[in-house]
């Protein structure tokens, strides 16, 4: 089996972490990995290194061209019976048999925020999915979106829920500090501005800070910092930029709560990671996040700043509630594992080899 990992980032985010956690469980399929040196894999076939999101839109374009015109030759040389792509990219109109993973269809759900990706999801992704022999997705909510937007049959789609690294994310018995934590990019659909507004509305806001962990984006970060300044909160809102994976457990363990008011999501890994650390979670009441969280998070309307603020305030001032959410989160996290995700994925791929 050929596995296309040309998109992997040196600084892992969601789709990179998905692939890296999946790979140990694919070993029985004797895969050949196509990746760049930045992936830090030890056993792979090298591909050009300038084709990832780190190289901007031009990097995406180079990867799509490479996928269309170079990847098929790898497939032929390897005499591969199957190509697996952990993102929805594959060569069109070729003899390649492939399975892809779809993480979300956010550019179709919120097209106003994704002008550069909307064309791909309207014209390229549907053709990739039509040509796939099977489609994996992160959740039932995403499966529903694939059927709704592309009209594909349910029998062609298998939701396989993601997981978290239980050896990495766990309670550390550290004292809770006085900050709420927001994890994620600064893109508008992540609704970081909503979290800032909710924090500003906290009656007891003076005793707390809001820490925002995510890579700076020159398109959006300046506006978020200006919002904090306008609200007079520049000394209470900290922009941490990209936080290395090794530091996330400590950051989560010591937070009052994770605040995750996103307007769209494919799965919501930060919820599971917070649950596993025993950290209370305030999250958007989206179908996919409700599917992941069960009754372990305080779900709010992400468009309602008052609801977000109310949840943050209640968790900050009611120790019993904080303890209940912490225990519920730990219990919920125990229902997910990469071993389960990897076993289900391997079994599905084996059907097509």
């Amino acid at each position: 089996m050929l596995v296309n990992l040309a998109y992997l980032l040196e600084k892992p985010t969601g789709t990179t972490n998905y692939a890296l956690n999946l790979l140990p469980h694919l070993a029985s399929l004797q895969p050949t990995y196509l990746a760049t040196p930045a992936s830090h894999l030890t056993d792979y076939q090298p591909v050009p290194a300038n084709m990832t999101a780190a190289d901007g839109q031009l990097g995406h374009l180079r990867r799509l061209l490479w996928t269309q015109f170079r990847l098929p030759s790898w497939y032929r040389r390897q005499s591969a019976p199957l190509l697996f792509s952990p993102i929805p990219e594959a060569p069109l109109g070729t003899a390649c048999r492939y399975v892809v993973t779809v993480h979300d269809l956010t550019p179709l759900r919120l097209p106003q925020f994704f002008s550069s990706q909307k064309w791909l999801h309207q014209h390229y992704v549907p053709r990739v999915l039509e040509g796939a022999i099977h489609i994996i997705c992160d959740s039932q909510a995403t499966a529903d979106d694939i059927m709704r937007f592309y009209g594909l049959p349910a029998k062609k789609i298998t939701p396989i829920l993601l997981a978290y690294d239980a050896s990495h994310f766990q309670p550390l018995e550290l004292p809770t500090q006085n900050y709420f934590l927001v994890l994620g990019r600064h893109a508008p659909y992540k609704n970081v501005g909503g979290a800032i507004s909710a924090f500003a509305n906290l009656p007891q806001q003076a005793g707390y800070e809001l820490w925002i962990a995510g890579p700076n984006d020159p398109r959006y970060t300046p506006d978020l910092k200006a919002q904090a300044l306008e609200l007079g909160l520049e000394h209470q809102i900290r922009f941490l930029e990209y936080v290395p994976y090794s530091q996330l457990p400590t950051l989560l363990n010591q937070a009052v709560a994770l605040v995750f008011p996103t307007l769209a999501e494919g799965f919501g890994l930060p919820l599971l990671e917070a649950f596993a650390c025993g950290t209370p979670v305030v999250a958007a009441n989206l179908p996919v996040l409700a599917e992941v969280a069960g009754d372990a998070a305080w779900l709010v309307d992400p468009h309602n700043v008052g609801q977000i603020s109310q949840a943050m305030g209640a968790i900050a001032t009611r120790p019993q509630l904080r303890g209940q959410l912490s225990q519920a989160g730990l219990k919920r996290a125990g229902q997910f594992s990469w071993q389960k995700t990897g076993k289900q994925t391997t079994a599905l791929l084996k059907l097509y080899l």
Side-chain angles (χ1 to χ4, degrees):
M1 182 178 71
L2 199 61
V3 182
N4 181 15
L5 302 174
Y7 72 94
L8 293 191
L9 293 166
E10 184 174 10
K11 293 181 176 180
T13 55
T15 54
T16 295
N17 281 327
Y18 164 72
L20 294 178
N21 280 288
L22 204 56
L23 298 191
H25 305 282
L26 302 182
S28 64
L29 304 181
Q30 300 180 317
T32 296
Y33 300 126
L34 302 180
T36 71
S39 66
H40 299 302
L41 298 181
T42 55
D43 185 14
Y44 67 96
Q45 296 296 319
V47 300
N50 58 352
M51 305 192 302
T52 72
D55 302 292
Q57 294 298 322
L58 191 56
H60 285 297
L61 178 59
R62 291 192 194 104
R63 189 177 67 253
L64 290 177
L65 291 172
W66 176 88
T67 298
Q68 185 62 36
F69 297 108
R70 298 296 183 187
L71 182 54
S73 63
W74 276 99
Y75 185 87
R76 289 192 298 272
R77 287 202 302 270
Q78 296 286 326
S79 299
L82 184 69
L83 167 67
F84 173 48
S85 175
I87 57 175
E89 295 180 1
L92 302 175
T94 70
C96 294
R97 298 173 68 252
Y98 60 86
V99 173
V100 297
T101 300
V102 176
H103 298 282
D104 65 81
L105 294 183
T106 301
L108 297 183
R109 279 187 158 272
L110 299 172
Q112 67 272 32
F113 297 136
F114 291 91
S115 57
S116 62
Q117 295 185 39
K118 189 168 62 173
W119 186 92
L120 280 176
H121 282 77
Q122 288 177 331
H123 302 284
Y124 175 71
V125 173
R127 291 189 63 195
V128 169
L129 300 190
E130 287 165 8
I133 56 175
H134 203 79
I135 301 162
I136 298 170
C137 60
D138 295 348
S139 63
Q140 184 58 50
T142 299
D144 292 341
D145 278 351
I146 293 170
M147 290 184 279
R148 170 190 166 196
F149 285 109
Y150 298 142
L152 295 175
K155 65 182 180 182
K156 191 176 182 176
I157 308 164
T158 299
I160 299 178
L161 299 180
L162 305 190
Y164 68 99
D165 184 350
S167 66
H168 191 64
F169 294 98
Q170 54 188 289
L172 299 177
E173 307 303 328
L174 297 172
T176 301
Q177 295 190 14
N178 68 333
Y179 62 86
F180 294 91
L181 179 64
V182 175
L183 275 179
R185 291 182 291 154
H186 297 171
Y189 82 94
K190 290 290 189 179
N191 199 23
V192 178
I196 292 174
S197 296
F199 178 73
N201 283 354
L202 279 177
Q204 66 278 34
Q205 160 236 104
Y208 293 91
E209 294 182 348
L210 183 68
W211 292 12
I212 300 170
N216 278 351
D217 189 318
R219 297 169 297 175
Y220 311 121
T221 306
D223 289 341
L224 295 173
K225 290 184 175 180
Q227 180 185 2
L229 184 64
E230 185 178 339
L231 292 168
L233 298 173
E234 66 273 20
H235 300 300
Q236 289 173 259
I237 296 180
R238 294 179 56 184
F239 289 84
L240 306 181
E241 301 188 17
Y242 176 83
V243 175
Y245 186 71
S246 61
Q247 297 176 19
L248 283 177
T250 299
L251 196 64
L252 282 165
N253 265 268
Q254 296 196 283
V256 175
L258 172 72
V259 183
F260 201 70
T262 180
L263 303 180
E265 205 68 27
F267 183 78
L269 276 177
L271 268 65
L272 281 188
E273 293 165 354
F275 289 161
C277 293
T279 302
V281 173
V282 177
N285 190 12
L286 306 178
V288 64
L289 297 186
E291 184 179 343
V292 172
D295 61 357
W298 186 320
L299 300 180
V300 296
D301 178 353
H303 300 282
N304 190 321
V305 168
Q307 280 192 23
I308 303 170
S309 185
Q310 179 188 8
M312 293 168 68
I315 291 171
T317 58
R318 292 163 54 186
Q320 184 177 2
L321 172 63
R322 196 158 61 243
Q324 289 171 348
L325 286 172
S326 175
Q327 289 304 309
L330 289 167
K331 182 178 179 181
R332 183 66 176 171
Q335 300 177 32
F336 298 81
S337 73
W338 281 117
Q339 183 176 6
K340 183 188 296 185
T341 303
K343 184 178 180 180
Q344 292 174 348
T345 305
T346 300
L348 188 145
L349 292 172
K350 195 175 292 186
L351 292 175
Y352 298 101
L353 284 172

